[in-house]
Structures are given as structure tokens and as C-alpha cells.
Amino acid sequence: MFRRRSDDAAASTVLEKQDETTQARDPQAKKGRPTPKRSEAEANRRTRVVVPKDRKEAAKQARDRMRVEREKQRQALMDGDERHLPARDKGPVRKFARDYVDARWSLAEFFLPAAVLILVLSIVKVPALQLLSTLLFLLFFVLVALDFVRLGLGLRKQLGERFAGQNTRGTVAYGLMRILQMRRLRLPKPQVRRGERP
């Protein structure tokens, strides 16, 4: 509490070291540097992260870093670049689920436009149209549920065959939520054409 603060140079070197250590790398690859001695590792852990004396400047730098990170993620969602995708979209399992869904036609992707159309029909003050809209909604809902089951079972089977022994938890739900979106609005953007095998 009563210690003197280090100068800004020490703070910037700590931040640079943290940036170097947080870069993603393949777990099988060598880290490219020797393992530090225990005394060095403990000294690094004891080093306090020093906030610059000018807190407004520190907040501005943090906002700039976050803005750059968000822009990288947005660009990755458009291009499909695996390195900068958000954590929920990363990995070969999630990529396969996206490709599996994007390669198939599905009634579920037309659910939202159809729901809007049925809603408009139900607002019209003609009893026959209101009854028709209710029946259409029920029929479409049942067809979408059957489509969900068909695609979900197919995706689960393919994941079991291709990624046996790997953690695929939540991937089927991820794929089914992607089915509900219209193809052109999906993020990350589809990387396969319809009919292609992933």
C-alpha cells in the first residue's frame, strides 16, 4: 500500500511478457524457448502488474486493445479464420458441425420468415385466414421438429464416427442452433456449398 510505484517502463515490459505468453500455439509444438528455472518463474509470478500513473491513458489503451481484438474476431467470422474465432466457434469439431449443417437444405432455416408470414395472416380479420394460419403454423412446427431430429441424429452419428474419443459435448446443440439461422445470416460464414460433403 505504501510502496513506490514502478515506472511505466516496467509496466510495459510486464504487459509485453503477458502478451507473448497468451499467444495461442499448437499444444504438440515446442514452445520455442527453454523452460525457465523455478526461481525465475517464481520471480515472474511475484512481479506486480503496474497500472500506468495516468488511469485515463490506461483505460484508453485497454479500449484500443479490445477494439482491435473485436475487429479481428469480426473479420474471422466473415473469413472463417480459425485463429481469431471466438472460443465457442473454434476447433475442428465445431468446424465440422458448421460444414455439416451448411451443406444441407433444412426447413428450419425458413422458420423465421414463415413465422412472420403466418403472423401476418393471423392478424387479418378474416376467420378463414386466421384458421389457415393456425393450421399452417402447427404443420410447419411439426415439420421443423422432425427436421431437427433428422439432422441432429445424423450430426451425432457423424461426430461419433469422425471424432471418436474427443469431447463433442454441446456440438449437436451448436449445429441445431445454426440450422435456425438463414444461410446468408450465419456467422461464421458458410465455407461449403450446398450438397458438398464436409
Side-chain angles (χ1 to χ4, degrees):
M1 183 170 147
F2 295 108
R3 292 182 190 168
R4 274 189 296 163
R5 291 190 177 194
S6 305
D7 58 338
D8 292 337
S12 64
T13 56
V14 170
L15 291 174
E16 287 173 11
K17 285 181 184 176
Q18 287 177 347
D19 288 343
E20 289 172 4
T21 57
T22 56
Q23 288 181 352
R25 66 174 180 85
D26 184 15
Q28 303 297 327
K30 294 184 178 181
K31 60 181 176 271
R33 58 183 168 75
T35 303
K37 294 180 181 176
R38 176 175 286 190
S39 58
E40 293 171 0
E42 288 174 353
N44 286 340
R45 277 198 301 263
R46 281 193 212 110
T47 306
R48 292 190 312 145
V49 176
V50 180
V51 177
K53 292 177 183 176
D54 184 8
R55 289 189 182 268
K56 287 185 180 179
E57 183 62 30
K60 182 177 182 283
Q61 289 173 1
R63 281 195 305 272
D64 290 342
R65 279 196 302 271
M66 290 300 293
R67 188 178 304 118
V68 168
E69 189 62 33
R70 280 194 303 270
E71 180 57 30
K72 282 182 184 176
Q73 282 188 358
R74 190 191 68 77
Q75 194 60 41
L77 288 170
M78 297 298 180
D79 301 341
D81 183 11
E82 281 281 326
R83 292 173 299 163
H84 300 294
L85 283 176
R88 70 181 170 90
D89 297 314
K90 276 188 181 177
V93 176
R94 295 293 171 106
K95 180 175 180 2
F96 175 78
R98 287 194 303 270
D99 292 346
Y100 183 88
V101 167
D102 294 338
R104 285 160 177 72
W105 285 97
S106 170
L107 275 177
E109 68 183 277
F110 302 109
F111 182 73
L112 290 178
V116 170
L117 179 66
I118 291 168
L119 181 67
V120 169
L121 285 176
S122 68
I123 292 173
V124 177
K125 299 270 184 188
V126 179
L129 283 178
Q130 289 178 339
L131 179 64
L132 178 68
S133 69
T134 305
L135 292 174
L136 279 175
F137 182 76
L138 289 174
L139 177 66
F140 198 71
F141 187 77
V142 168
L143 290 174
V144 166
L146 291 173
D147 196 29
F148 255 52
V149 170
R150 177 184 64 90
L151 282 167
L153 291 175
L155 179 57
R156 186 182 304 276
K157 181 181 175 188
Q158 289 291 323
L159 287 170
E161 290 173 2
R162 291 187 183 224
F163 301 99
Q166 292 188 33
N167 183 14
T168 58
R169 186 176 178 188
T171 307
V172 174
Y174 173 79
L176 292 178
M177 290 308 295
R178 189 171 174 86
I179 291 172
L180 276 175
Q181 300 166 345
M182 295 177 70
R183 183 180 166 89
R184 67 177 55 192
L185 301 179
R186 292 175 183 168
L187 289 176
K189 292 285 186 191
Q191 303 292 314
V192 295
R193 292 193 186 99
R194 291 199 196 266
E196 278 185 34
R197 284 183 173 269

